[in-house]
């Protein structure tokens, strides 16, 4: 049996006629960059997130960067974030000329450990970017309390958590802004690059709308130096269709995770993901931890199973950030977890037979003695 890591064709096949019709609509309207399709999607996505404002941008990295700019983060400032994330979280900080400061993660949820944040705050700290890794929301209440106490902005990296919730609130809506990516493989994915910022603050939304379009307050009148971070009309039209199916897709992912958990319950060589009691993950990634990760990965590959590693090197140890001066051992939990995590196939169209096959093969792989 073959089980791909991700199957976008299976995900799109039932809706192809709808996509074609929507794209034809964009072609005949000419609204390719920004425009009414983007405005319509923004409304729908804000409603989905249970928040008043959404601003469509070019990708998830823009969606992290523009709020930092809107909050005035710049050279000399520091922004606290998690080392267990995709590089883009920290890059957005670097683009502002500010310095990312990494705080270790909780060993159970792989999200930033709130009890370690205060020790990392300095007079230069301006913001915290918690990362809702693998679809699970970070422990936001203590993070928000710390931010209030120290006058810091909070930008939620929700690029993996569309629709996840935490104590009844949705991803991206608890801090000052939330950043979403619609990269094709995300829970809500475009047919190319796209992203969005959500916020409950209309002034912040207005500022980001100005920044995304060359600092224009109206056409050819520039009140500030901005950038080109517009969303494409075609992406917005596709996303509007896919958004209608997102709740269903997220439910399917949660069902798959429950089945994996049940089948792996007795397999003591495998550490399953932990879902905190505070909320519901949307399982962008279903990752287990195993001792001989690379060996298990290649044995699953031989059995026709696609897997991934999210992520093999924690951001504080990336070569690009050598200048920040972090050393191996500085953030021990993130470092250990990054050497053990293995992402199993996870997408809404996965079947029960496929999950059972993956689990059988995983059991065999972890129980094969490692060649010495
Ligand atoms: C995907 C992702 C991003 C970046 O999004 P792009 O759309 O690729 O720019 C940022 N942070 C996290 C956690 C992501 O998973």
């Amino acid at each position: 049996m073959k089980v791909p890591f991700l199957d976008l064709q299976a995900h799109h096949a039932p809706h192809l006629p709808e996509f074609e019709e929507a794209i034809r609509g964009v072609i005949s309207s000419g609204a390719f960059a920004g425009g009414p399709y983007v405005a319509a999607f923004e409304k729908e996505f804000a409603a989905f997130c249970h928040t008043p404002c959404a601003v469509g941008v070019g990708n998830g990295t823009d969606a992290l960067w523009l709020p930092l700019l809107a909050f005035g983060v710049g050279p000399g400032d520091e922004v606290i974030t998690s080392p267990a994330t995709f590089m883009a979280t920290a890059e957005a900080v670097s683009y502002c000329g500010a310095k990312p400061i990494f705080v270790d993660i909780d060993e159970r949820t792989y999200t930033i450990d709130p009890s370690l944040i205060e020790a990392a705050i300095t007079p230069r700290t301006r913001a915290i970017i918690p990362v809702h890794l693998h679809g699970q929301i970070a422990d936001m209440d203590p993070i928000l309390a710390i931010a209030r106490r120290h006058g810091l902005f909070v930008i939620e990296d929700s690029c993996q958590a569309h629709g996840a919730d935490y104590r009844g609130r949705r991803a991206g809506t608890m801090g000052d802004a939330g950043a979403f990516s619609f990269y094709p493989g995300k829970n809500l994915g475009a047919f190319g690059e796209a992203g969005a910022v959500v916020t409950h603050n209309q002034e912040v939304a207005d500022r980001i709308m100005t920044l995304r379009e060359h600092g224009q307050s109206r056409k050819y009148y520039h009140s500030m130096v901005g950038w080109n971070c517009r969303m494409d009309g075609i992406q917005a039209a596709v996303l509007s269709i896919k958004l209608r199916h997102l709740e269903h897709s997220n439910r399917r992912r949660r069902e798959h995770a429950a089945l994996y958990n049940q089948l792996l319950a007795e397999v003591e060589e495998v550490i399953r993901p932990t879902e905190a009691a505070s909320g519901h993950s949307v399982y962008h990634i279903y990752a287990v931890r195993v001792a001989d990760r690379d060996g298990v990965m290649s044995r699953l590959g031989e059995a026709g199973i696609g897997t991934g590693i999210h992520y093999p090197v924690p951001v504080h140890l990336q070569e690009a950030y050598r200048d920040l001066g972090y050393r191996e051992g500085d953030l021990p939990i993130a470092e250990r977890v990054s050497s053990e995590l293995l992402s199993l196939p996870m997408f809404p169209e996965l079947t029960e037979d496929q999950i059972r096959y993956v689990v059988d093969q995983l059991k065999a792989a972890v129980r094969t003695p490692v060649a010495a």
Side-chain angles (χ1 to χ4, degrees):
M1 190 187 281
K2 276 232 179 315
V3 189
F5 179 64
L6 181 70
D7 189 348
L8 286 177
Q9 280 189 12
H11 189 54
H12 294 143
H15 312 296
L16 284 180
E18 265 183 287
F19 293 138
E20 284 164 9
E21 192 191 324
I23 291 170
R24 258 196 297 275
V26 179
I27 294 170
S28 51
S29 77
F32 294 110
Y37 291 90
V38 173
F41 172 70
E42 288 171 340
K43 264 207 166 125
E44 294 156 7
F45 191 66
F48 172 84
C49 293
H50 304 165
T51 199
C53 313
V55 182
V57 295
N59 52 59
T61 312
D62 289 349
L64 288 158
W65 177 48
L66 295 188
L68 287 167
L69 288 180
F71 297 138
V73 174
D77 293 337
E78 294 176 354
V79 176
I80 290 172
T81 190
S82 166
T85 184
F86 181 58
M87 182 70 178
T89 316
E91 281 178 313
V93 175
S94 300
Y95 297 160
C96 302
K99 186 172 158 188
I101 302 292
F102 300 101
V103 166
D104 212 350
I105 55 172
D106 179 297
E107 176 154 17
R108 292 165 62 255
T109 62
Y110 315 138
T111 57
I112 195 166
D113 183 343
S115 72
L116 302 176
I117 291 177
E118 264 179 319
I121 293 175
T122 75
R124 294 177 296 279
T125 309
R126 296 294 310 283
I128 306 173
I129 309 182
V131 179
H132 304 330
L133 196 74
H134 298 172
Q136 168 148 261
I137 296 184
D139 193 7
M140 289 302 294
D141 281 345
I143 295 170
L144 293 168
I146 292 164
R148 260 194 306 276
R149 217 154 40 236
H150 295 270
L152 308 176
F153 295 103
V154 175
I155 300 167
E156 299 173 59
D157 184 336
S158 308
C159 290
Q160 302 189 358
H162 319 68
D165 64 60
Y166 174 90
R167 303 194 196 287
R169 292 166 288 170
R170 285 212 154 173
T173 66
M174 293 165 269
D176 299 284
F180 288 88
S181 166
F182 306 122
Y183 183 78
K186 302 290 161 97
N187 287 33
L188 179 61
F191 284 3
E193 306 281 348
V197 182
V198 301
T199 174
H200 44 74
N201 185 330
Q202 185 64 51
E203 273 171 48
V204 170
D206 289 344
R207 207 171 159 79
I208 291 169
M209 277 193 264
T210 305
L211 283 165
R212 78 169 165 186
E213 197 148 14
H214 302 289
Q216 284 183 156
S217 34
R218 59 192 167 101
K219 203 168 172 81
Y220 303 135
Y221 290 81
H222 305 267
S223 57
M224 60 178 96
V225 175
W227 195 260
N228 177 356
C229 300
R230 287 182 295 250
M231 181 189 271
D232 287 351
I234 286 178
Q235 303 309 341
V238 166
L239 287 166
S240 284
I241 294 167
K242 291 183 75 173
L243 181 60
R244 291 180 222 136
H245 307 284
L246 181 56
E247 300 274 14
H248 174 75
S249 298
N250 282 344
R251 246 188 332 267
R252 297 290 296 154
R253 287 173 183 270
R254 290 185 51 76
E255 287 163 12
H256 300 332
L259 182 58
Y260 270 130
N261 283 340
Q262 180 200 324
L263 297 174
L264 287 168
E266 311 289 308
V267 186
E268 55 190 41
E269 295 89 343
V270 172
I271 300 176
R272 290 165 287 146
T274 304
E275 188 170 45
S278 50
H280 297 91
S281 171
V282 290
Y283 291 97
H284 172 57
I285 296 284
Y286 181 91
V288 295
R289 278 159 61 197
V290 290
D292 172 29
R293 188 258 316 275
D294 296 344
V296 170
M297 190 175 189
S298 74
R299 269 166 267 163
L300 291 179
E302 286 158 22
I305 297 167
T307 56
I309 301 176
H310 303 93
Y311 296 91
V313 180
V315 181
H316 69 290
L317 296 180
Q318 290 288 351
E319 191 185 342
Y321 280 132
R322 216 176 17 210
D323 291 355
L324 294 177
Y326 288 92
R327 300 245 178 288
E328 225 168 290
D330 285 347
L331 303 172
I333 297 173
E335 291 167 27
R336 180 155 44 78
V337 161
S338 72
S339 70
E340 296 172 349
L341 277 174
L342 179 65
S343 307
L344 302 182
M346 174 53 85
F347 51 91
E349 296 70 25
L350 204 57
T351 67
E352 180 172 338
D353 285 348
Q354 286 177 316
I355 294 172
R356 290 184 183 278
Y357 176 71
V358 172
V359 169
D360 288 343
Q361 294 299 317
L362 176 60
K363 277 189 202 166
V366 294
R367 286 169 181 171
T368 310
V370 182

